[in-house]
Each structure stands twice: as C-alpha cells, then as structure tokens.
Amino acid sequence: MICCLNPHCAQPNHATLAEVCPTCGNPLEARLRGRYRPLKLIGRGGFGRTYFALDADRLNSRCVIKQFAPQTQGTKSFLKAVQLFEQEAVRLHELGEHPQIPTLLAYFEQNKYLYLVQQMIQGRTLHQEIAAQAAYSEGSLRQLLEDLLPVLHFIHEHGVIHRDITPSNIIRRKVDQKPVLIDFGVAKQFSEAIRYEPGTRIGTEGYAPIEQLRSGQAYPSSDIYSLGATCLHLLTGCKPEDLYSPQEGRWLWQEYLQNQGRTILPGLAAVLNCMTRDLVSERYQTARDVLDDLQRLPKLEGTVPGWVSSQSGQNLFTGLDSPRLSGPGQGAGLTMPTTSLPNAAESAEPTSKPVSKPISGPVSGRPVSRPAQPVVASAPSSKPPSSKPVSSKPVSSRAPGSGAAIAGGGWQLVQTLTGHQSWVTTAAFNPQQPILVSGSLDDTLRVWNWQSGDLLHSIKGHARGVNDVAIDRRGQMLVSCGDDATIKVWNLGDGTLRNTLKGHMRDVTAIALGSSGNLLASASEDGTLKLWNLSQGTLHKTLPSLAGMLKTVAWASADQQLVSGGLDNTIRLWNVQTAAVIKTFIGHTNTVNQVAVSPDARLMASASKDRTVRLWDLATGALLQTLQGHTQEVNTVAFLPDGKRLVSGSGDGTLRLWNSSNGTIQETLSAHINPLHRVAVEASGTVIASASADKTIKLWQWR
C-alpha cells in the first residue's frame, strides 16, 4: 500500500501498489529518498500534509513525514511559512536527543517539495485526552508537571523557546505514558524571540501570555505561562479564556473548582498562580524554579518508586547470613566476605504487606507490557529468612555425546523461585549477601534470599518491562533498565530510588557497571551506547551509533574498554576515552544477544541468534572456538570465576556448561520448558541462576 503525495489529491489513501494514483493520476512515490515509504495521510493544513510512513533503513520502523506544500507561493506569508518549516527542522535537530522530544530523522527536498521526517510518537494529545475523559486529578496534574518541566528546562538551556505550548502540542506516549512536546515550528532562539517584531502574533489564544500576543516578545517565562494555562485547562476541563476575567484582570479557576465541589492543595494552587501571572517579572523565571517549589510540596501517596515501609534505619540485609556454600576446592561452610552497609547497626526487619494478586499472562509469545500504572510497591514476605534450603529433585542431565561429567559431581537444581507474572528476563547475585535480584516483563524487580527461597521485596518503578539489572561490588547499589527507555538506580539496602537516568530514545536493553562502581554503560535499541556518572546522575558520553539496535554491553577492562553487540551480527571493542572502535569481531551470522568477558579480560564469549557461542581473543580479535550444541538461539552466556568454564542458556530451555580451553560440552541441564533468557553466576562459582519465559528463576548448585 502506497499513499499519494500529490498535495492536491482528494483521496490519497489507497490499497494499491500501482505506479500511478487511481484518484489523480500522478506517479506514486514508492519510497522518498529511497527509504521512506508513505502509507497514509494523517493530517493536512494550509501549508502541507502529514503522512504516516515506514523507514526501510531502520527495520521498517514507524515515522512521520511532514510535506511542505502551501497553496500559494511567492507571497510574504509563503516566505514566512518556509522559514517556520525550516526552523522546525533545525530545532528538532538541536533538541532531538531528549527522550520527550521527537527525533529528526531527515530533512530534504524532492520533486520541488520540502519534506521533514521525524520519529512517530504513538499516543493521544492532551487535547484528545481531556475531551474523552474527566478533568485531571491533583495527582495527575502534579505528575504531568514533574514530567514536562525538565523538558522545558532542557530546551531553555539550549536557548530555545517553544512559544506554543498547548494541550494539542503535548502527546501522551502510548508505550510509557510520558508526555512528549511536539510542534517546534514556531520555536525561537532567545536572541530572536525577545526582539520586538511589529505585527507579529505567535502562539495560541488563551495559552499564550500577553507579551507574546501583543508584541511577539517571548521569554522562558512565556513557556511557563503557557504550560500553566494548559494545566488549568486540564484541571478544570474548561479552556483558559473561559477561566479568566478581563474585567477583574484575574483568573477564576479556583472559584470554578469550588463550584464543582473540588479543592486542591494550597501549595499547588500557589504554584499554578505564579506560573500564570500577567507580568513577566512576577512569574517564575525558569522551569527549575517551578520544579523546586513543586517538589517541596507534601508527597502524594503512591508517587515514589520503591518498596513500602522503607523507613529510616531499615535495611534489607538485617538478619541475613553471608552465603555458605561448598564446592570443588572449597571447604564446607565457606563464608563469603562482607562489607559494612548503611544503617546496618540500627536496622530492623522490613515491614511487609501481602503479595498482590497474581495477574494472568500469555503462555507463549513475548507479552505486550501493560499500560503504565501508578507506581506501587509491595513487600510480600514478613517471615525471617531461614538458612535451610528448599529441597528439590535434581533435574540435571547429560545429552548424548555431550562429553564426560566433571569428576566428583554435577549441577543439581536446589531452588525454584516463583512469583513473577511474566517472562523473567534478567537476574543478578549480590556479591556480598545471599541476595538475588530478578527483573521481568511484568515491570517489576524482585529481591530474593536465594538460600531460603524467600521473596523479600517486590519493587515497582519501571513503566514497562525490565531488561537488565546490575549490582555493584559492595552489594549496596542496584541498577535496572527497561523498555520505558530509562535506567533506575536504587539503594539495595532500603529500596529507595536514588536516580532515574533519561537520555535513550528507545528501550534500554543492557547495562554494565564499571569496576569503580561510579561509571555505568548502557546499550539501547536506539543504537547508542551511553556512559553515565552515577554519583552525579548525569550523562558522561554518548558513543556513536554504528550497528543499529544494540542488545548487549560489557566492560572489557577497568573502565577503559567496552564491548557491544546487536542486530548487525558484529561485536565492537570500544576505547571509552576516545569513543573510537578498536576492533570489530565478525563471525556470527545472526543477532548477537549477549557478550561476556572472562575475569582476566583475556577472552570474550558471545551468544547469538545463530545458535552458537563463540570464543574470541580480546587482544588479537581472533576467533578461538565456535561452541555448537544448542538447537535454538543462544540468549545468554557467562564465565565462571575461574575463567576456565562458561555457561550458556538458550531458547531450547537448556543450560550448557563448556570448557573454555577446548570448547567441549561438560554438562547439559534440561533447565526450563520455555526459552531461557539469562544466566547469572554467584561469586563463589558454585551456584548458577537461570531466568526463563516460564516466569521462574531456577538455582543450580555444584554437588
């Protein structure tokens, strides 16, 4: 199906692959610039049309094409329209790094028309939202402000004033319910925007402040006014012009709420009134000022991610013993070292609440994440963790031809952890305590005492599925990432959210903590690697996109080199300081799902959709071994601490233990009936966790 791009065509949408439009007879453009395939007209105006399209060079991802085709040419208004259209392209290019601003994909001329291609934001505008439902609650309005004010701060820091913030120019993004600011066609740089322009009126009546409508002047506080007026509309359900008395020269929105029998917190009312004052000098001057006052207001219940009852002095690790394991070359009852943890001396058992009722989910196929819900948390288990492991029958087995078992024992199932309501995608051991953290497409993180099998806490913070988790060497900090394009940093001791890192444009697929614990690397479906300073909560560096969607990232040396892999079937070794590629590893014939580096940083293992694990020499880039045996794609791989063995997990549901020196299979475990997504190895090397689409985590111990 191809849509007609003739701006005068009366019926451009057709279910046809013909070379000419059946309505107007014009030739049909199968692809603009050889890559953008227009499918459907979705909007039109005086200066052109907007089309829904697919980008063939980005795996047919959805995008929006804006076509500039005004009805009249050569006039003063036409020249102004050209200027605004080009200006929107420039602004999107400058601001598109922010996750709540559409990304500019292309800007070009073809067949005498100008085209602007941008990221498609699926969702409803706030104008559509307020027309279809009741007015906003106080909590919803505060959340909107907390989501949008950082966006305003960002564009103002880049010297841009939007000048047309209205409910129609804010889209509630469907995938994560975040508001996205659109339509930068009338945005101006500070130097231009504050200049007097006789006869210029840019903005929308009711939402634009008086200085903008009278003289065309605009300031950062002008955008704050427009956002405030938008909030009044959403809060009352009435347009701003119906809430202002020109005779009295004041807003009447609070009287309107009182007539409806509604009230809001006086502090929030004061913030809204200060945002919408007529005089520029009496208004908030920066978005940061508004946000600061907003965050001083009393917290509303349910707005803080984390687990409940994490009061000062409480600590998750109270009463937990260090791991006691026996294994090859180790005496029974080996105690792992511990480090001091915050507030450990004064800590008490965490207060807990019952587990929420399980939500049924699909049995097969990657489930679609539920719409974002208010952030909640539960602490399901109040009983103190016991040291006695839950007994279970061993299910380890050896596949025919898999090689001899290691002398003296094998891997046996000792624990099955249940509770997640969807695929378990990731798991990580705390290196200092018997704690395991798992993440799932049910949008939660779960914290377990893996020795007893007790679920200690469930953390709800991500708006969509969790893809990866990491715990620092001290066992105090937990980092998670997910399909909501965010990275969250938690205090593992008491469950408090320390920071939310935003910058990726799409799902964050993988994270890796540096050796210092302060540097974090992240990989995303947006094709970028990002480096974050965790102590400051800031983006340190973005490594250029080369491979399309990325699936995995790992540190190759102490905070100096990274390895990444993704959909282009290759692995890249990066110099972190120069952001340059040192080596490219070529050999896989399908997507690279995960990479792992040996403890001595000499070897790298890669798991691929081509059903193989490959072993590489990191120093030379040479392919050393191709490990074959899995019957479906290999999703995950990890080295054991000795570096002489590695374990892989596959869509075939099996775990395979390999000898990294010669590439032979040492043992095969029929682990899960559904695909296996992640393996994690405990610090002693005697316990392996496997996470699966069957919604469980299984623990395997060397016997």
Side-chain angles (χ1 to χ4, degrees), residues 126-128 130 162-170 201-213 221-244 251 275-278 283:
L126 299 193
H127 177 78
Q128 294 170 323
I130 196 66
H162 189 280
R163 301 204 301 173
D164 197 22
I165 297 175
T166 70
S168 297
N169 285 335
I170 302 168
R201 288 182 56 170
I202 295 293
T204 302
E205 194 78 38
Y207 301 94
I210 192 169
E211 70 273 8
Q212 202 171 301
L213 294 175
S221 62
S222 304
D223 279 348
I224 293 171
Y225 179 100
S226 298
L227 178 58
T230 295
C231 287
L232 298 185
H233 183 178
L234 299 172
L235 186 64
T236 63
C238 286
K239 293 182 178 180
E241 53 264 38
D242 297 328
L243 298 171
Y244 188 86
W251 290 96
M275 292 175 72
T276 53
R277 294 215 171 110
D278 285 338
R283 227 179 278 151

Side-chain angles (χ1 to χ4, degrees), residues 145-146 148-154 156-157 220-221 224 227 271 275 284-296:
L145 282 169
E146 289 178 1
L148 275 177
L149 285 166
V151 185
L152 284 194
H153 177 73
F154 175 81
H156 293 162
E157 285 287 297
S221 62
I224 293 171
L227 178 58
V271 169
M275 292 175 72
Y284 284 109
Q285 297 302 298
T286 70
R288 182 75 258 172
D289 293 339
V290 189
L291 196 57
D292 287 345
D293 277 359
L294 198 66
Q295 292 177 341
R296 291 189 186 102

Side-chain angles (χ1 to χ4, degrees), residues 516-539:
S516 67
N518 187 47
L519 196 60
L520 178 82
S522 60
S524 168
E525 286 189 1
D526 65 13
T528 65
L529 290 171
K530 291 185 183 290
L531 298 175
W532 307 84
N533 184 315
L534 292 184
S535 62
Q536 299 177 6
T538 56
L539 178 63

